[in-house]
Amino acid sequence: MDLLDERGNVMIEFAICFLIFMLFVSGITMTSFWGIGNAYIREAAFEAARSYAVYEDAERAKEKRTYKEIVQAVRPTPASKQTKILVGGLAVTPRFSKSAGADAYGADADMAVTKALSLVHS
């Protein structure tokens, strides 16, 4: 048997390259799963924080009331006649805020601050 015989080298090189390739593919797959899981966790945390911020009570937050129901719940008391309600964000349109009974609409944070200041000073 000759030590310079190269039979089988292709098979060994293929096996080594295949293992490296599979390691690369599994790394990409695991990174994708991590990213998707992270997105789900962030969305769940955002929804929980938003619900709690709107309702200020964990039990009432689970009820998932609508904007219109929230505005109508605030309006009946005499003290709330001076309270101004401002709604907005990506999921809300100016027409929707009017139909919900809100006093003003802010498309983003800058517009909301401007509208809030104008409501306070009017």
Side-chain angles (χ1 to χ4, degrees), residues 17-58:
C17 290
F18 182 74
L19 289 174
I20 292 171
F21 176 74
M22 290 308 294
L23 182 65
F24 180 72
V25 168
S26 65
I28 290 174
T29 304
M30 292 307 295
T31 303
S32 299
F33 285 148
W34 174 79
I36 292 169
N38 190 19
Y40 280 126
I41 290 170
R42 282 177 173 262
E43 181 64 23
F46 172 77
E47 289 295 327
R50 186 172 65 93
S51 292
Y52 189 77
V54 169
Y55 301 108
E56 295 182 3
D57 181 14

Side-chain angles (χ1 to χ4, degrees), residues 31-98:
T31 303
S32 299
F33 285 148
W34 174 79
I36 292 169
N38 190 19
Y40 280 126
I41 290 170
R42 282 177 173 262
E43 181 64 23
F46 172 77
E47 289 295 327
R50 186 172 65 93
S51 292
Y52 189 77
V54 169
Y55 301 108
E56 295 182 3
D57 181 14
E59 290 304 314
R60 289 180 61 198
K62 292 177 185 174
E63 295 172 10
K64 295 281 187 183
R65 294 174 19 181
T66 64
Y67 278 111
K68 193 170 191 174
E69 292 170 337
I70 295 167
V71 170
Q72 289 171 352
V74 170
R75 292 285 184 205
T77 62
S80 69
K81 294 201 186 310
Q82 296 174 353
T83 303
K84 302 296 183 188
I85 298 175
L86 173 72
V87 297
L90 294 175
V92 180
T93 62
R95 187 169 58 155
F96 175 80
S97 69
K98 291 263 190 236

